[in-house]
Amino acid sequence: MKHMCKYIAKRIALMLFVCFIIMTICFVMIRMLPDQLPRGNGDQAAAVLAMRKAWGYDEPILTQYVIFLKNVLTKWDWGFCTNVGTFLNPVTSHIAQKLPPTIAVNLCAMLVSIPLGLIFGIYAALKKNRWQDHVISVVIMLFISVPAYVYAFVVQYFLGFRLGWFPIVVNAGTNYLDPAMLKSMVLPIMAMSFGTIASLMRAVRAELTETLTSDYMLLARTKGLTRRQATLRHALRNSMVPIMPMIVGQFVAVLSGSLIIEKIFGIPGIGSTYISSILERDYALFLAVSMFYTVISLVATLVIDVSYGLVDPRIRMGGGKSND
C-alpha cells in the first residue's frame, strides 16, 4: 500500500506538470492566432474591450499568461465566451451547462456496450473455430474498421429518415428520463456503441481463448471440475485482469469520439461546443474545453494503471516487490 500511494502521488505530480505544459503550448498558440474582434452593439463591444483589457490582451504574451494563470488558480476563471448565443457568458458556466448531455449519452453508450461486448466475446471464445466464432469475428472486423460517424449517418438515414423509428436529432431537454428524450438518444448511442462493443469482443475473445488453453485449466479439469466450473472459477477471473482497465480507456475513447457524433445528431453537449468554439474562434472556450479533454485523458490513464494493481494483487506499483 505504501508503494502504491507513492506511485499515485508521483503520477499525479507528473500529470499536473503535463497539464501545465499542454496548457502553456495551447495558450501561446491561441494568442498567436488572428485577434478576436468585439461582437455585438456598442455597449457589448465596449464590455468586451474592457474585459480584454482586464485580461491583459494588450500586454506582452508572458504577462498575458501570468494574468491567465492567476485568474485560473485563484478564481477558477477561464475567461468569457464570445459566441453570439453565449455572449460574455463565463466559460466555466457554459461548460457546466453543456456537460450533462455529453455525460448522459456516453454513459448510456457504455452501459449498452460493456455487457454486449463481454457476452459476445465470451461466447466467441467458447465457440472457437465454429461458425458462431467466424460470424462474430466478421462483425468485429466490420465494426472496428468503419468510423463511428459513418454508422451515425447510416442509422440516421435508415432508422431515422427512411423507417421513422427514431428522431433524427436529439430532443434538447434536461429531463433525461423522459421517454421522448430517451427515444431520441437511441441513434447516437447505437453509433457510439458499435466500435466499443467490437473492441471489447475482440479483447475478451483473445484473452479467454488463451486462458482456456493454459496449463492450469488442464489441471483444474483433471481435478474433477467441469468445463463450466473451470471456466467460471478460473478462466473468466484471470482473463478479466487486462479487460477491466480497458473498459476505462474505452470510456475515454467514446467521450473523445462523441465530438462528431454530437454535431451530427444535434446534441447540445461539450463535443459540439468544442467544434463551435473552433469555428467561431472563441479562443477562451476552446482552451478550456481542450484542457477538459486533456485532464480526462490523463486521469483515465492514471486510473487504468492503478486498476491493474487493484484487479490483480500480484502486480505491484511504484517499484514494490511481491512477497510471492
Side-chain angles (χ1 to χ4, degrees):
M1 182 61 67
K2 179 181 178 181
H3 294 292
M4 176 69 77
C5 293
K6 181 186 288 188
Y7 173 79
I8 294 175
K10 186 186 299 183
R11 286 295 303 271
I12 292 176
L14 182 61
M15 182 178 68
L16 294 176
F17 178 73
V18 172
C19 284
F20 175 76
I21 296 297
I22 295 177
M23 185 167 61
T24 303
I25 295 175
C26 291
F27 181 87
V28 172
M29 294 182 65
I30 287 173
R31 292 301 171 93
M32 291 175 64
L33 293 173
D35 200 9
Q36 296 167 292
L37 298 176
R39 301 181 181 183
N41 55 34
D43 294 336
Q44 291 176 333
V48 172
L49 291 174
M51 295 189 72
R52 284 163 58 86
K53 184 174 180 61
W55 277 78
Y57 276 66
D58 54 348
E59 300 289 341
I61 188 69
L62 181 60
T63 305
Q64 295 182 36
Y65 191 49
V66 172
I67 296 174
F68 171 77
L69 287 178
K70 180 180 178 181
N71 289 329
V72 170
L73 296 177
T74 59
K75 298 181 290 185
W76 196 245
D77 185 1
W78 289 78
F80 54 93
C81 300
T82 58
N83 286 333
V84 176
T86 58
F87 193 72
L88 295 183
N89 190 28
V91 167
T92 51
S93 300
H94 186 62
I95 292 178
Q97 295 171 1
K98 298 297 182 178
L99 272 178
T102 297
I103 294 176
V105 173
N106 281 275
L107 282 180
C108 291
M110 292 303 297
L111 290 177
V112 171
S113 303
I114 293 174
L116 292 179
L118 294 178
I119 291 173
F120 284 111
I122 294 172
Y123 183 75
L126 296 178
K127 300 292 183 178
K128 182 182 177 181
N129 295 330
R130 300 182 185 178
W131 68 268
Q132 297 95 329
D133 181 30
H134 297 317
V135 171
I136 292 177
S137 298
V138 172
V139 172
I140 290 174
M141 293 300 299
L142 180 63
F143 282 178
I144 289 181
S145 302
V146 180
Y149 63 84
V150 175
Y151 289 119
F153 288 122
V154 170
V155 297
Q156 191 179 51
Y157 176 75
F158 286 103
L159 301 183
F161 177 72
R162 297 286 295 182
L163 299 177
W165 291 351
F166 305 100
I168 296 178
V169 296
V170 173
N171 296 329
T174 56
N175 185 10
Y176 297 102
L177 297 180
D178 182 44
M181 181 70 175
L182 293 175
K183 185 177 180 180
S184 67
M185 292 169 58
V186 170
L187 294 184
I189 290 172
M190 289 177 60
M192 289 189 290
S193 298
F194 288 146
T196 305
I197 292 173
S199 299
L200 288 175
M201 286 166 56
R202 182 175 62 176
V204 171
R205 179 192 177 280
E207 292 293 335
L208 187 56
T209 300
E210 182 179 356
T211 304
L212 289 173
T213 57
S214 60
D215 294 337
Y216 67 86
M217 284 296 295
L218 179 60
L219 178 61
R221 294 296 302 276
T222 57
K223 288 184 177 181
L225 294 179
T226 63
R227 187 170 185 266
R228 179 180 179 181
Q229 290 174 333
T231 301
L232 294 176
R233 296 182 186 180
H234 301 285
L236 280 179
R237 292 180 58 184
N238 290 329
S239 60
M240 287 298 108
V241 171
I243 301 300
M244 297 303 293
M246 178 185 172
I247 294 175
V248 181
Q250 286 296 324
F251 177 78
V252 178
V254 171
L255 186 64
S256 301
S258 64
L259 292 174
I260 303 177
I261 301 298
E262 289 184 13
K263 200 67 176 178
I264 293 174
F265 290 99
I267 301 173
I270 197 70
S272 57
T273 300
Y274 195 33
I275 297 177
S276 298
S277 68
I278 299 173
L279 299 177
E280 297 288 339
R281 296 201 308 183
D282 195 337
Y283 298 150
L285 182 60
F286 172 76
L287 177 59
V289 179
S290 298
M291 293 310 302
F292 167 78
Y293 281 109
T294 300
V295 171
I296 290 293
S297 301
L298 293 174
V299 171
T301 303
L302 176 61
V303 172
I304 291 172
D305 292 342
V306 173
S307 61
Y308 279 110
L310 298 178
V311 174
D312 190 352
R314 296 171 298 178
I315 301 176
R316 295 292 182 265
M317 299 293 184
K321 295 181 180 180
S322 174
N323 295 326
D324 297 338

